[in-house]
Structure formats: C-alpha cells, structure tokens
Amino acid sequence: MNHSPHFRQLLAAAAAQPEPQRLLFVFAVAELPDSATPEQRERFQSGRGGALAPLMCVDKAPGDVTDFAGLVSEAGRAGPPWSVVFAASLSGQAGRPPDKARIDLALETMVEAVRDGRISGFAAYGPQGEFLEIG
C-alpha cells in the first residue's frame, strides 16, 4: 500500500481549517457501457477508458481517518471492490461541523458529479493510495 503523501496532505489541510470539516468520499468503479464501440471496448480492456459508476459514499471527521490504509480497510468491509475514491471537504460554520442535511446533500451532489464525469474539483486516489490525475 502506497502511503500517499497527497492523502496525508488532504487530512492535514482539513484538520488545519478554522471551521470544523467533514471529509466526503465517493468510491467508484470503472465500467464499460453496454453501448460501447469496439474501440472503446479495446481501450477498456487495456485499462483505459470506461465510465465511472459510484458504488458507495461516506463522510468522516478528519480525526476519524488516520491514513489511507484505514480508509481502504473500512471500505473493504462496507462494500464491493472499487477502482477509485474521490475525496472532498465540507466546511462547517460558526465553530460547528456541517449538519446531517448539508452532509447528505453534499454527498448526493458529489455522487451525481462522479456519475456525470464532473470530477475536476475532487481529489482522486487509486486502491493503493496513489494520487490520480483524471481528465
């Protein structure tokens, strides 16, 4: 498992914010659409291309995530295998963390963004903790 310096920086940045944060994670898998062309199928078979399908999502306080390996272990117990996890942070206000309604809305919005391929605002990591530049 790669001890991702980028992921450690994400955790440190969230913990250092003046307002309480929640970390948002969306786990996804790359899949090949039924309508894929032969060229798209070939690219997918070689490990490139495909569409992202969100599998599960979770929010965590920055102190609840000690490292990437712990996140991976928990995800493995909670759901199916995944190929990429997207991460974002949601800030609280007036010294209070975001409430459940804001967190749920943010996660729903994030899941839809991943489904639609609008992922440029998220950090992305592979299963070994490697920072992914997707796009």
Side-chain angles (χ1 to χ4, degrees), residues 6-78:
H6 190 281
F7 190 78
R8 284 193 307 272
Q9 289 172 353
L10 174 79
L11 296 179
Q17 296 304 305
E19 295 290 349
Q21 304 288 304
R22 291 302 285 191
L23 294 170
L24 309 177
F25 298 101
V26 174
F27 295 83
V29 66
E31 61 184 16
L32 190 63
D34 292 336
S35 61
T37 66
E39 293 82 17
Q40 290 170 324
R41 290 181 189 286
E42 184 178 321
R43 287 188 67 218
F44 186 77
Q45 293 301 323
S46 69
R48 300 184 331 249
L52 292 170
L55 298 170
M56 58 187 168
C57 60
V58 67
D59 71 286
K60 297 281 188 185
D64 292 342
V65 183
T66 56
D67 58 20
F68 193 78
L71 182 68
V72 168
S73 177
E74 185 175 335
R77 291 188 304 275

Side-chain angles (χ1 to χ4, degrees), residues 44-124:
F44 186 77
Q45 293 301 323
S46 69
R48 300 184 331 249
L52 292 170
L55 298 170
M56 58 187 168
C57 60
V58 67
D59 71 286
K60 297 281 188 185
D64 292 342
V65 183
T66 56
D67 58 20
F68 193 78
L71 182 68
V72 168
S73 177
E74 185 175 335
R77 291 188 304 275
W82 50 275
S83 51
V84 60
V85 59
F86 294 96
S89 184
L90 180 65
S91 185
Q93 296 175 330
R96 303 175 95 169
D99 63 25
K100 182 169 176 19
R102 268 190 73 216
I103 293 167
D104 289 347
L105 179 60
L107 281 171
E108 286 177 34
T109 301
M110 194 171 169
V111 165
E112 287 303 314
V114 169
R115 186 174 287 124
D116 294 343
R118 296 178 286 112
I119 55 174
S120 63
F122 308 130

